[in-house]
Amino acid sequence: MIGKLDLYRVFSVVAKNNSFSSAAKDLYMTQPAVSQAMMQLENELGTRLFNRTPKGVTLTTEGSLLFEYTNSALGLLDAGEEKLLEFKNLTTGQLKIGVGDTISRFFLMPYLEAFHTMYPNIKLQMLNGTTSEICNFIKSGEVDIGFCNFPIEDSTLQLTVCTDIQDIFVCGEKYKTLSSKSLNYEDLLKFPLIFLEKKSNSRKYVEDYLFARGVHIEPEFELGSHDLVLEFARSNLGIACVTKEFSKDYLQRGLLYELTLRESIPTRSIGMCYLKSVPLSRAAMKFVEIIESKHFNTRRTIKRA
């Protein structure tokens, strides 16, 4: 039994050719099969669609009306299939990424550039936020993939470590003499402290680590961006807690000095996350492949129960 949609496709070709035999050639069917299909459609609709003559067929009034709608509907279906093919071939589409300014600038930028070079017609949309905000963006469907400061405890997310980073303390010229000493965490409390704001995952990680060792910090400055933390330290406003990998330019140019601690803060990670329960779009899958191909030696997938 030929399906209803197939019947309409045959009907459309017959109507355009005004001939069962010509339509059969276009459809790679036999003429009797085309004739039988049109009889089936007419029976199902309870309406005669063609005037049959020795020279071919012409549409009845009802057939002409149906042809207008059929031709339009099939055209939309064909356009839809073409659009799906474009998405499949990544010649159109959109990739939405949630990421903070600092991770975007110091980690993600080369991968964004590589993806754009490979798939220039895919629109990139970046949504800025803290780690907790980015996790919410993922769960609400506002972004496809997020890049965050780990650790994250969330069983709904697929978590992949991309690279490890180190939290350090730095100072400007005013406190330079401290950089030649070996310091305890308690020694830092004697000076003005500069930290990221409390909602930052980076701040929470360091603060929790220090608190577990009996050190309670009360920063004089709590700032919204890593760049501001660096600038406040460079301006000699205090001792700043920063990410070493994101501060190399300041350290290499001698604008800031790294302090030596008797006990280093354990490294943490930057990672990629997305929902386990929702399949990634083709564009998102390709971006994940680019990230993973660059880190096949170091990336670690965190499995959750």
Side-chain angles (χ1 to χ4, degrees), residues 65-217:
L65 178 64
L66 181 63
F67 177 71
E68 290 182 19
Y69 287 99
T70 301
N71 200 45
S72 176
L74 293 176
L76 288 173
L77 285 173
D78 289 340
E81 289 178 353
E82 289 180 9
K83 187 59 67 175
L84 284 177
L85 187 61
E86 289 177 1
F87 275 99
K88 182 179 179 180
N89 295 333
L90 295 176
T91 57
T92 189
Q94 180 173 275
L95 174 60
K96 296 175 288 184
I97 298 174
V99 63
D101 288 338
T102 305
I103 294 178
S104 178
R105 176 183 173 188
F106 290 101
F107 169 75
L108 200 58
M109 197 61 68
Y111 303 106
L112 293 172
E113 183 180 358
F115 182 84
H116 181 67
T117 299
M118 295 171 66
Y119 308 107
N121 295 316
I122 300 296
K123 180 181 178 182
L124 288 169
Q125 180 180 342
M126 314 298 290
L127 198 56
N128 182 271
T130 63
T131 291
S132 60
E133 289 171 339
I134 290 169
C135 289
N136 289 332
F137 293 157
I138 296 171
K139 293 177 182 179
S140 65
E142 294 178 74
V143 300
D144 302 304
I145 308 172
F147 290 88
C148 307
N149 287 296
F150 283 11
I152 295 174
E153 296 295 332
D154 194 319
S155 61
T156 67
L157 298 178
Q158 179 69 40
L159 307 173
T160 300
V161 172
C162 294
T163 189
D164 293 331
I165 54 176
Q166 177 73 58
D167 296 293
I168 61 172
F169 286 87
V170 298
C171 66
E173 194 68 33
K174 179 179 178 180
Y175 302 100
K176 181 180 178 181
T177 55
L178 294 175
S179 63
S180 61
K181 301 178 181 180
S182 180
L183 303 172
N184 291 320
Y185 292 124
E186 290 80 1
D187 295 329
L188 301 176
L189 301 181
K190 301 173 184 178
F191 305 94
L193 295 179
I194 308 167
F195 270 75
L196 286 169
E197 57 193 355
K198 286 187 175 181
K199 66 179 182 178
S200 160
N201 214 40
S202 304
R203 158 75 178 272
K204 185 177 185 302
Y205 177 80
V206 175
E207 191 168 29
D208 288 350
Y209 176 78
L210 294 178
F211 186 77
R213 279 147 187 77
V215 180
H216 178 67
I217 61 169

Side-chain angles (χ1 to χ4, degrees), residues 14-30:
V14 172
K16 291 175 181 177
N17 282 277
N18 293 317
S19 168
F20 286 169
S21 59
S22 296
K25 291 179 181 179
D26 289 348
L27 294 166
Y28 299 97
M29 296 171 64
T30 64

Side-chain angles (χ1 to χ4, degrees), residues 37-84:
M38 291 303 90
M39 289 178 63
Q40 179 184 336
L41 181 60
E42 289 177 326
N43 289 335
E44 290 188 11
L45 296 176
T47 302
R48 186 165 58 90
L49 301 173
F50 295 102
N51 297 309
R52 291 159 175 82
T53 70
K55 294 183 178 181
V57 295
T58 59
L59 289 169
T60 62
T61 302
E62 295 83 355
S64 295
L65 178 64
L66 181 63
F67 177 71
E68 290 182 19
Y69 287 99
T70 301
N71 200 45
S72 176
L74 293 176
L76 288 173
L77 285 173
D78 289 340
E81 289 178 353
E82 289 180 9
K83 187 59 67 175
L84 284 177

